[in-house]
Amino acid sequence: MVTEAHPSSCDTLEKANDNTGEKQSVSDAPQEVNTDGSAAVEDLNERQWQSTDVEVDRSDGTKDSETFTPAAAKDQFQEELVIRPLHSGDIYASFQFRTLWDIDFLQEGQKVSHYRLFPKSLGQVLSKFSVRELHISFTQGFWRTMQWGQPFIPSPPGAELWVWFHDTVSDVDGNWKELTNVLSGIFCASLNFIDLTNTVQPSASFKPLGLGNVTDHRFLRYATLPREIVCTENLTPWKKLLPCGSKAGLAVLMKSEKLFHSSFHSQAVHIRPVCQDEQCTSKAWELRQTLNVVFDLYTSGQGKKEWSLFKMFSRTLTEACPLATSSKIYVDITDNPEGELFELTPATPLLSQAVVLGDRRTYSVYDLTRAETFGQLRSLNLLLRWKGDSGDMLRPLLHAERYVAGFGLQTGEIHTVIYNNHPYRAFPVLLMDSVPWYLQLYIHTLTVTSKSRDNKPSYIHYQPAKDRHRPHLLEMLIQLPPHSMTEVTVQFERALLKWTEYTPDPNHGFYVGSSVVSALVPSMVAMNTNFTLEQPLFSSFVPVKEESSYFVRVYTEPLLVNLPTPDFSMPYNVICLTCTVVAVGYGSFYNLLTRTFQVDEPSPPLAKRLANFIRRIRGVPLLT
């Protein structure tokens, strides 16, 4: 079995339920305000997720849950697809591919020359730039939490990249710049536009998800490109990282024409070190590739609530990836216990239950490694027919929104609204905002209100921006009352950019990345902390530590802000007029300086020329 040890991304939240101190003043210099809540943040550096075990099927179909042998600790590959019918009538399809690499990069001087399942391009990146963890996502569209619920692994619109480097790296900024350029080439993206002006170092929001007790945020870099457009040229190199590519297994369903003809599409790559046994005597690298797609009725042009693999992907499944030790499809049938909501064909006797995001869900399982799954036609095409109304979806316990208020092109106000929909439980959240330097924040106007009352954050970390050098960074630990709406507001002033700093379409506006809300949300059911049993991939990415809560991260909408924009036609006219005047004046002056003048004598009359011609023939002197 494979064991993963994960430090909490938000251990702060566990101790902050009873620690709500007074808000401290924030100066213009970078600082961390230490209150009662900040002690919980500092304790974050010492607390880790408890080690969890994940049982992995062997190639012969047997399972080992008692002992660990070195023979089982080899490179492994697993793939799965989760299909969840949404209450809105849409279909949520989530692919996950997990590759375990039996190598320990944490050892000093470790050299690697053999790659079997792990992609060589990423392995060389880990080694060259001393990367400890790497998380990158490309998303087109916005996840509608109130309509679709919580995703398995969230991501903001555009591109997101956050990396933990080894503590032996001396020039983190240099490695970060080179790494973004290399990843830009690997994924055919615009990651080369990531620089110091849009890079921050969060102090508590993004903790390592793999092994290690790294808490020094100097080795962490986080950046987003909210305007990044995701298309086929990003998906193709992503599929090439899979051991079987798009030739076999679940990856054959990834047809670009269908994936991008959807209302939401997100692809991600997560690399982290994990344990290979219960005692963590040997380590491995885990590469987890995820692809989330939401198909809706109107974009797909179907007009009726009837779905199948062929209608969603224009293809069916014929075999599993030969290199995969596990290949499964999970269909969520929690809301369809008696088949009164929809009909799923072909039926399967395999059922599985898992607690995902605080809720116990039931899934129909299709094991692609079994020949009987494909039937006599050697083809699997799942068909889902809706029978009745899906009803209303239960609101998620945590939800966040953000928008810009104000009028004119000088000042404005950013509003971040966080909803706690739990009827009787209060819990803390960690809010992180990264604002570009050209929006000059007035941090003294920061207000936090819950139920029309002031809500003093127990922890504040603020790093002011430097013009054309770094953005603003604001992190706060806020206690959310039960069944409440908490609003965070801060005023800003728009800066006037240089004319060379505007984008080619400045009247479209400038994008501000999403806010990040991290929280340990109370669970409706008891969470399973015993990971010695086999767990689906979608429920084991962030294992829980306590039975009463689970970790969740929520992203708000990106902002589109208009800045004072000059009339660019006026400089164009000035440039044209100036160039014309210079060309005429310089050309005339140069002509006068360089031209030579000669006297042009008039031509003699015709009779004289004819006489000179005759005299030249006779050899007598010519007439003058």
Side-chain angles (χ1 to χ4, degrees):
M1 55 187 135
V2 180
T3 305
E4 303 174 2
H6 300 269
S8 170
S9 292
C10 201
D11 285 332
T12 309
L13 307 166
E14 296 182 1
K15 285 195 170 184
N17 290 304
D18 300 327
N19 297 331
T20 55
E22 297 183 355
K23 177 181 176 182
Q24 302 292 327
S25 59
V26 182
S27 63
D28 293 335
Q31 60 177 330
E32 293 188 6
V33 181
N34 295 322
T35 62
D36 294 339
S38 65
V41 176
E42 294 176 356
D43 188 65
L44 164 69
N45 302 338
E46 301 177 358
R47 305 188 59 186
Q48 305 291 327
W49 288 104
Q50 289 181 346
S51 298
T52 56
D53 298 334
V54 179
E55 184 181 68
V56 178
D57 296 341
R58 292 182 177 178
S59 58
D60 57 357
T62 61
K63 302 176 181 178
D64 185 8
S65 59
E66 297 180 358
T67 60
F68 174 82
T69 59
K74 298 298 180 182
D75 296 355
Q76 298 180 4
F77 175 67
Q78 298 171 274
E79 59 178 5
E80 72 178 28
L81 167 62
V82 184
I83 299 177
R84 187 172 73 185
L86 303 176
H87 289 264
S88 59
D90 306 330
I91 291 291
Y92 173 36
S94 177
F95 295 85
Q96 291 212 26
F97 304 90
R98 184 181 189 227
T99 304
L100 284 177
W101 190 18
D102 185 20
I103 194 67
D104 186 9
F105 257 128
L106 300 180
Q107 296 180 2
E108 294 293 338
Q110 182 76 13
K111 300 297 182 181
V112 179
S113 58
H114 174 69
Y115 294 86
R116 179 172 174 264
L117 300 179
F118 201 91
K120 184 177 181 179
S121 59
L122 295 182
Q124 292 176 338
V125 167
L126 297 178
S127 176
K128 177 177 177 57
F129 299 105
S130 301
V131 175
R132 192 181 190 93
E133 280 195 25
L134 186 146
H135 305 269
I136 183 173
S137 65
F138 300 95
T139 305
Q140 186 70 30
F142 178 70
W143 182 269
R144 302 178 180 92
T145 307
M146 299 303 292
Q147 298 180 16
W148 302 337
Q150 295 287 358
F152 297 128
I153 301 179
S155 58
E160 180 192 41
L161 174 64
W162 57 286
V163 178
W164 276 96
F165 294 94
H166 286 282
D167 52 7
T168 57
V169 177
S170 58
D171 185 10
V172 179
D173 290 333
N175 279 26
W176 169 254
K177 182 61 178 178
E178 293 184 21
L179 176 62
T180 54
N181 283 274
V182 171
L183 294 178
S184 178
I186 293 178
F187 294 100
C188 297
S190 303
L191 299 178
N192 55 302
F193 285 96
I194 294 178
D195 52 19
L196 296 180
T197 60
N198 51 21
T199 301
V200 295
Q201 305 176 28
S203 62
S205 297
F206 290 89
K207 291 301 176 182
L209 297 179
L211 292 175
N213 190 19
V214 181
T215 56
D216 191 349
H217 63 272
R218 294 179 302 170
F219 300 97
L220 170 65
R221 294 297 182 271
Y222 174 86
T224 59
L225 296 175
R227 200 177 179 178
E228 180 72 13
I229 304 300
V230 185
C231 55
T232 307
E233 63 182 8
N234 306 120
L235 179 63
T236 301
W238 183 90
K239 291 190 294 186
K240 291 182 179 180
L241 299 177
L242 299 172
C244 293
S246 57
K247 304 300 182 182
L250 296 176
V252 300
L253 299 177
M254 298 178 184
K255 189 176 181 181
S256 302
E257 178 184 354
K258 289 295 184 177
L259 293 181
F260 294 105
H261 197 65
S262 59
S263 57
F264 178 84
H265 170 270
S266 177
Q267 63 185 61
V269 172
H270 304 275
I271 304 177
R272 58 183 179 179
V274 296
C275 290
Q276 284 195 320
D277 54 9
E278 187 175 357
Q279 292 76 22
C280 201
T281 57
S282 61
K283 303 176 180 62
W285 283 94
E286 181 197 65
L287 166 63
R288 192 175 296 230
Q289 297 177 243
T290 63
L291 177 66
N292 298 323
V293 188
V294 176
F295 298 95
D296 63 275
L297 300 175
Y298 305 100
T299 302
S300 59
Q302 298 180 15
K304 57 181 179 179
K305 296 182 178 181
E306 181 175 316
W307 300 96
S308 67
L309 289 182
F310 186 79
K311 286 185 177 181
M312 287 188 291
F313 305 104
S314 296
R315 293 173 182 173
T316 59
L317 293 173
T318 57
E319 62 177 347
C321 176
L323 300 176
T325 58
S326 174
S327 180
K328 298 179 180 179
I329 298 179
Y330 294 85
V331 182
D332 194 340
I333 59 172
T334 307
D335 302 328
N336 189 49
E338 303 296 332
E340 70 279 0
L341 186 60
F342 57 83
E343 178 185 359
L344 182 63
T345 55
T348 175
L350 300 178
L351 297 178
S352 175
Q353 283 193 348
V355 179
V356 184
L357 298 175
D359 190 15
R360 182 174 287 107
R361 313 294 295 181
T362 304
Y363 299 90
S364 293
V365 183
Y366 297 85
D367 193 349
L368 302 184
T369 58
R370 299 183 179 183
E372 57 270 17
T373 302
F374 300 95
Q376 298 180 352
L377 299 177
R378 294 297 300 168
S379 177
L380 178 62
N381 182 27
L382 299 181
L383 178 62
L384 188 147
R385 293 188 179 93
W386 290 89
K387 292 183 177 180
D389 189 8
S390 57
D392 297 331
M393 184 194 71
L394 295 177
R395 293 187 302 173
L397 297 181
L398 180 63
H399 177 56
E401 299 174 351
R402 191 164 69 146
Y403 60 92
V404 176
F407 58 91
L409 293 178
Q410 181 179 3
T411 60
E413 198 172 47
I414 298 178
H415 292 250
T416 304
V417 184
I418 308 175
Y419 297 90
N420 177 12
N421 295 321
H422 201 285
Y424 57 87
R425 287 285 300 275
F427 56 88
V429 297
L430 192 59
L431 173 65
M432 190 197 80
D433 265 330
S434 177
V435 183
W437 62 268
Y438 46 77
L439 298 183
Q440 301 169 357
L441 295 183
Y442 294 146
I443 201 64
H444 67 278
T445 64
L446 178 66
T447 59
V448 182
T449 57
S450 299
K451 295 184 177 181
S452 301
R453 298 180 180 178
D454 291 339
N455 188 345
K456 296 181 179 180
S458 55
Y459 169 77
I460 295 179
H461 170 70
Y462 173 65
Q463 184 181 51
K466 290 184 179 180
D467 289 353
R468 300 171 180 85
H469 183 67
R470 72 183 182 194
H472 300 270
L473 174 62
L474 177 62
E475 291 182 281
M476 295 185 296
L477 184 64
I478 307 172
Q479 187 79 8
L480 302 183
H483 195 65
S484 65
M485 180 188 73
T486 302
E487 186 174 11
V488 181
T489 62
V490 61
Q491 297 180 7
F492 66 89
E493 181 177 350
R494 296 170 172 88
L496 184 61
L497 303 181
K498 299 179 181 179
W499 73 277
T500 56
E501 295 174 342
Y502 286 92
T503 58
D505 53 347
N507 292 303
H508 177 76
F510 292 78
Y511 284 88
V512 180
S514 305
S515 296
V516 185
V517 180
S518 306
L520 288 175
V521 180
S523 177
M524 291 297 183
V525 297
M527 301 289 291
N528 183 18
T529 59
N530 183 11
F531 283 83
T532 57
L533 302 177
E534 181 181 4
Q535 296 289 330
L537 296 181
F538 59 87
S539 64
S540 62
F541 183 69
V542 182
V544 297
K545 180 180 178 181
E546 296 181 356
E547 297 181 356
S548 59
S549 62
Y550 61 94
F551 177 76
V552 66
R553 181 171 287 142
V554 177
Y555 294 91
T556 64
E557 304 91 339
L559 299 179
L560 185 60
V561 181
N562 289 324
L563 295 182
T565 304
D567 184 7
F568 285 100
S569 63
M570 194 63 182
Y572 174 77
N573 296 334
V574 172
I575 292 174
C576 291
L577 179 60
T578 305
C579 291
T580 303
V581 173
V582 171
V584 173
Y586 176 78
S588 301
F589 185 71
Y590 181 79
N591 193 19
L592 292 174
L593 292 178
T594 58
R595 177 179 295 181
T596 59
F597 296 91
Q598 296 179 358
V599 178
D600 190 8
E601 296 182 357
S603 178
L606 179 61
K608 187 176 183 179
R609 285 184 294 173
L610 182 59
N612 286 333
F613 176 74
I614 296 174
R615 294 172 71 88
R616 186 181 294 107
I617 295 176
R618 295 175 61 186
V620 297
L622 301 178
L623 298 176
T624 58

